[in-house]
Amino acid sequence: MALPKAYRLKSRKDFQAVFREGIRRHGSLFTLRALKPAIAKQPSVDTAGENSQLIQTAPLDSTKFGISISTKVSKRAVVRNRIKRQITVALYKLLPRLSPGWRLVVVVKPTAAEQECVSQQFLQELEQLLAQVEVLNGHS
């Protein structure tokens, strides 16, 4: 079950922005990088002429996710892809409870491959990390 395209971080620029400006929270299996939704800025009169290109500052419709998993986690692509699929399923279950506009990157730690993790563990840890960052509605 893949995340709908509207919920995916795609460009390198988006990933770099989250890594550069985002806050991070650590768990035993993942590190979560989160970038808050930007508040829309009105261009001032004097800068509107020369700097009409504004970085995307309007809030995004949906929260967007990226998953970063390196070969340090596992040399085998099969293992890395299985972990990505399990994370995607966990995120899919959490979608209805998320605040809109966030950009999130889940960085997988090598401990995720060492243990034969069940999707339930991924779901619990993601839920805890998202609550710490206050992305979950209700911040449970």
Side-chain angles (χ1 to χ4, degrees), residues 11 20 25 30 35 42-43 46 52 54-55 69 77 90 101 105 112-113 121 124:
S11 72
R20 188 175 51 250
R25 294 292 176 266
F30 312 116
L35 187 59
Q42 296 295 328
D46 50 326
S52 59
L54 286 175
I55 298 172
I69 181 165
V105 176
Q121 286 176 294
Q124 286 174 343

Side-chain angles (χ1 to χ4, degrees), residues 23 34-37 62-64 99-104 133-135:
I23 54 177
L35 187 59
K36 285 187 179 183
S62 58
T63 294
K64 296 188 182 283
S99 302
W102 286 79
R103 287 184 283 172
L104 305 165
V133 180
E134 298 180 358
V135 177

Side-chain angles (χ1 to χ4, degrees), residues 6 13 15 23 27 30 39 58 61 63 68-69 81 84 98 100 104-105 130 132:
K13 192 172 76 175
F15 274 87
I23 54 177
F30 312 116
I39 300 167
D61 296 338
T63 294
S68 173
I69 181 165
N81 288 337
K84 277 199 284 190
L98 297 176
L104 305 165
V105 176
L130 290 168
Q132 287 175 18

Side-chain angles (χ1 to χ4, degrees), residues 45-57:
V45 177
D46 50 326
T47 61
E50 57 200 48
N51 268 347
S52 59
Q53 291 180 333
L54 286 175
I55 298 172
Q56 185 178 10
T57 55

Side-chain angles (χ1 to χ4, degrees), residues 26-31 69-74 79 82-83 86-87 107-118 121-122 125 129:
H26 302 282
S28 59
L29 304 172
F30 312 116
T31 297
I69 181 165
S70 76
T71 52
K72 290 179 184 177
V73 174
S74 174
V79 174
R82 184 181 337 114
I83 292 170
Q86 289 175 330
I87 293 169
V107 182
V108 182
K109 293 183 175 181
T111 53
E114 291 168 5
Q115 306 168 353
E116 278 300 316
C117 288
V118 188
Q121 286 176 294
F122 286 171
E125 181 152 332
L129 292 172

